[in-house]
Amino acid sequence: MTDGIHTEPALSEGKTYKLNLVCFGSGSAQVKFTPASAGPKVSVPCDRSIVQQRITGSTSTVHIDVDGAKGATGVIAWQIDTV
């Protein structure tokens, strides 16, 4: 999980989306949005459970960062759907 996920998806201003995340491995990962108004910080356990988070498109680019917590190992899969 050394690379994590760092992306700037093309989201339309004011539209709502669902971010689906799943982590396979051990430990957990942390999700952070910039700007913070796009969505709250959330923790993703690496136990194969799916974490869903609603996010909102912004006038500025939305940046999503998912980084493994210290000692976490595994892989992260993600998908964004329009709501």
Side-chain angles (χ1 to χ4, degrees), residues 7-69:
T7 187
E8 293 179 348
L11 304 177
S12 298
E13 179 184 353
K15 289 203 171 209
T16 303
Y17 299 86
K18 181 172 60 174
L19 173 63
N20 299 293
L21 296 152
V22 63
C23 181
F24 296 87
S26 64
S28 65
Q30 309 303 314
V31 181
K32 182 179 112 179
F33 300 94
T34 306
S37 61
K41 290 182 182 180
V42 65
S43 181
V44 180
C46 291
D47 62 1
R48 299 183 180 188
S49 59
I50 297 172
V51 173
Q52 296 180 333
Q53 179 65 47
R54 286 186 182 258
I55 56 177
T56 304
S58 174
T59 55
S60 61
T61 302
V62 174
H63 192 88
I64 301 171
D65 291 299
V66 183
D67 293 300

